[in-house]
């Protein structure tokens, strides 16, 4: 006992006994000396010892039995083996376990075909990188802004092509998903005030809706036609909701494949300015154009220089290497860099260095040329197969690039029941509600053709068409007999 | 005009004029036809044309001059070239521009020495990986839980060593910073209720304080002594604040270098259980032990299986490759995987595959053995140099591993002014306030020795000692003359 310590003596004593119990020096069930006895032994007041015993009783370490004395509790720490009730402590899981039927042909994944990866050049360039003079620096702690040589290269490219202005800066992120996450937190984090709306296409990529909803934003859907956002409807949304952010995927939008015309782009840029919405351009598919010529980015058209542009190597090269980037006015990038540092310090440097080599060496351009040839074949194949196999009354978009198109089935068919039927025959896709910003899209689905072969496209759409016809037929026959069931 | 469209005619007309303005077909300053004239020309009601003009006036595109007619506004879209006022729209930057004096010897960075990286084996193993049969799969989109072979390996290791139980699962993150970010959002995100406290050591790693503060948590500091958290003081904190989370770095804590004894670990595990705090163990330095034997993790000691363990390859191998992992009960990992997918889909797979080879091949173990030999030399060197050069009254911790120790200067010296003096002589460190959870630590600083050579340690501490003595001497002489200044 230290009589000069700030901790009172009774507490020192209680702590001492507690640690003897913890270390096993006193076993559960053992009897402690009577307070008078221990007080005499230690040269303390009896009340001090009683106070220590009381503290231990309160903690459940000691049990007092009147007339028999104080015993170390049988189960000293009953709570210690108690399992936390995680389900009540944590927010509910959003997704149930994924369905696991045997799928032969999947139109569900919007990702490149694995067998088209240029493995030989990837191998050669990776070896160049690790054998190169920057290897040790790549392995050392880096910068939240990104691997300096890649960042320099991307800035130079963006300035040369007229996309970045002198007032812009650039940060490298783990693909565009992290860029969206950082932006969502920057614009909708703590104390960001009442203007908490983010407007985006509807239907739209699920991860875009969710990342803004998680940040506390109010997600507002903008209705689309086959050419993307309708500027007149956008103006209504901007007028009504005055969103803080407007997120647009102008080329080969996920899931519709729609591409905005130059005229619509100009209108959208003007509207964002007029209504004070910060324009975020999700431009990750534009290089995957199979028909027609390129259209300028919204960022290039925005004379104010206020737009935020997101790009990524994931869709045009290797999604397993997580490298995207943001080009935006300097004050935005400075804050994204702070947020990035707190999120994961910086992006992985080995992949940044490999992808820099891939781009600088011209291999990325060559890979893109091959990808466009293969994509054009798949696209014409999928459009032809849709026209041939889907039941009468189906509608589908006709994109000129990208990885997906959007199909709407005739009433009364619902895509969830079509999906059940299709998976039984080994074909799947993502149903429309998965892409909902606000509207349910219950008759629609996304058909992703980027990762499947032309032969699989034909076979898969034949099965989808048959499943849709069978589903429609079941309505036709079921309706008069079992009207209630048919309405399910 | 489409008289069958849902869009009213006046709106179609307004849109048409607007797009002619946008495309430059009508220039600003041009006069539009009178409503009667245009109505006759288009076969419309005059009121329809008036309504269209009114819409355009409201949007600022058209200007009506009584008696003269309607003109396209001179500056059609004055907002278009207006720059967004980012400073008022965005939260303030936390960090000012970093100071840039010329630093020869930096004790500021807690990172491994770059010249000790085993480049030869890194190069060989990376080539093995890219030449191997999994190359295409590594480049393809992966899983939020991590690269499956690495995840399997880490789970097997954790089960074999008794750290993971059958109720646990594992997710791979971008180093432990991302694990902290995901946990902070999981436990303190939207609607997480009133119990919003997180208790952690004070002083503590700055990124740990900030990531929880950003998530909206109330950060509570636990006072430490030379052996780390004092369990008696921890109990007071737990009693008073009932925090939801307790984050502990049990081995070679950043910044103090303190390591908790087995007895304290048992006490802390018991206290977390007793007070219902979820225990998060930040165990990223424990393999960097230069003296004495290993101590079990809190996770191993926690019989309830409730603890969450964070580990990382960053500190023990290459910080530039961003790979850490979390071992925790399955319900926690399931939610972290959802959060991870929204944050950046998954971690980079090339580095995961390379680090798996590094661990499996035994090269990591060999690298760690060399690191421990070098670390032991640096540690004894830094302790000796502290004793020799720091002014009388200085106190410093004596860690048995890790990368840092914690120095407290005698009053009235403040480390901010010492830092100014030291940087003028080419030496820097991170001052105590940088590690503040609650307390200011104005006389303390972190001395990181992991990235500097023994010769630099001696030279740097000699300069620090001289700067501290000079600073103290300036107080001694200034005090009688300028008492106010001396109190600053």
């Amino acid at each position: 006992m230290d009589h000069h310590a700030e901790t009172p003596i009774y507490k020192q004593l209680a702590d001492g006994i507690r640690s003897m119990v913890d270390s096993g020096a006193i076993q559960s069930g053992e009897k402690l000396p009577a307070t008078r006895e221990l007080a005499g032994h230690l040269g303390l007041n009896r009340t001090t010892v009683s106070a220590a015993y009381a503290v231990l009783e309160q903690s459940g370490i000691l049990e007092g039995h009147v007339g028999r004395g104080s015993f170390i509790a049988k189960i000293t720490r009953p709570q210690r083996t108690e399992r936390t009730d995680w389900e009540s402590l944590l927010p509910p899981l959003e997704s149930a376990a994924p369905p696991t039927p045997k799928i032969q042909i999947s139109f569900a994944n919007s990702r490149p075909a694995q067998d088209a990866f240029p493995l030989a050049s990837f191998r050669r360039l990776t070896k160049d990188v690790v054998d190169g003079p920057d290897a040790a620096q790549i392995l050392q702690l880096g910068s939240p802004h990104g691997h300096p040589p890649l960042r320099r290269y991307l800035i130079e490219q963006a300035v040369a092509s007229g996309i970045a202005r002198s007032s812009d800066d650039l940060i490298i992120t783990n693909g565009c998903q992290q860029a969206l996450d950082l932006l969502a937190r920057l614009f909708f984090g703590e104390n960001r005030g009442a203007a908490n709306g983010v407007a985006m296409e509807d239907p739209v990529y699920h991860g875009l809706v969710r990342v803004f909803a998680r940040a506390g934003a109010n997600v507002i859907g903008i209705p689309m036609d086959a050419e993307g956002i309708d500027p007149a409807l956008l103006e209504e949304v901007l007028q009504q909701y005055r969103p803080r952010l407007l997120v647009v995927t102008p080329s080969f939008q996920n899931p519709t494949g729609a591409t905005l015309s130059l005229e619509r782009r100009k209108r959208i840029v003007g509207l964002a300015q007029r209504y004070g919405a910060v324009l975020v351009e999700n431009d990750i598919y534009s290089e995957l154009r199979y028909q027609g010529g390129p259209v300028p980015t919204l960022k290039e058209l925005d004379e104010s220089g206020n737009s935020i542009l997101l790009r990524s190597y994931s869709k045009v090269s290797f999604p397993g290497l997580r490298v995207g980037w943001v080009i935006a006015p300097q004050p935005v990038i400075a804050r994204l860099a702070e947020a990035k540092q707190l999120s994961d310090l910086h992006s992985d440097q080995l992949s940044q260095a490999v992808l820099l080599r891939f781009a600088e060496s011209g291999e990325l351009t060559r890979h893109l040329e091959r990808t466009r040839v293969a994509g054009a074949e798949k696209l014409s194949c999928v459009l032809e197969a849709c026209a041939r196999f889907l039941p009468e009354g189906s509608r589908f978009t006709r994109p000129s690039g990208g990885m997906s198109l959007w199909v709407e089935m005739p009433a009364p068919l619902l895509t969830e029941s079509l999906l059940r039927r299709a998976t039984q025959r080994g074909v799947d896709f993502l149903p429309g509600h998965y892409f909902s910003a606000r509207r349910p899209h219950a008759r629609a689905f996304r058909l992703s053709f980027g990762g499947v072969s032309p032969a699989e496209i034909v076979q898969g759409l034949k099965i989808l068409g048959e499943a849709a016809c069978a589903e429609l037929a079941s309505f036709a026959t079921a309706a008069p007999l079992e009207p209630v069931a048919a309405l399910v």
Side-chain angles (χ1 to χ4, degrees), chain A residues 333-381:
Chain A
I333 298 295
R335 284 158 179 89
L336 290 178
E338 277 192 354
K340 167 84 179 159
Q341 173 148 8
L342 278 187
S343 294
D344 61 1
L345 300 188
H346 62 78
S347 288
D348 194 279
Q349 295 193 124
L350 179 55
S351 288
Q352 290 186 66
V354 169
L355 286 167
L356 171 60
R357 287 284 296 170
F358 194 59
E360 271 186 332
S361 65
E363 288 295 339
L364 173 60
T365 304
R366 278 186 283 280
H367 172 59
L368 269 171
E369 280 160 8
R370 287 188 299 265
T371 304
R372 288 192 198 108
V373 171
E377 189 195 348
K378 287 180 187 180
L379 176 63
S380 82
C381 175

Side-chain angles (χ1 to χ4, degrees), chain A residues 3 8 25 28 54 67 103 126 154 218 247 285 293 349 353 364 375-376 415 436 457:
Chain A
H3 288 266
S28 72
I103 298 300
T126 302
L154 292 172
N218 176 30
V247 186
Y285 301 103
Q349 295 193 124
L364 173 60
T415 39
S436 165
I457 288 173

Side-chain angles (χ1 to χ4, degrees), chain A residues 454-475:
Chain A
E456 289 172 325
I457 288 173
V458 174
Q459 176 63 11
L461 268 162
K462 186 160 177 291
I463 291 172
L464 277 185
E466 287 167 5
C469 290
E471 186 69 17
L472 283 168
S474 79
F475 278 107

Side-chain angles (χ1 to χ4, degrees), chain A residues 36 46 173 250 266 364 379:
Chain A
R36 187 192 303 270
R46 191 181 160 191
T173 58
K266 286 181 178 170
L364 173 60
L379 176 63

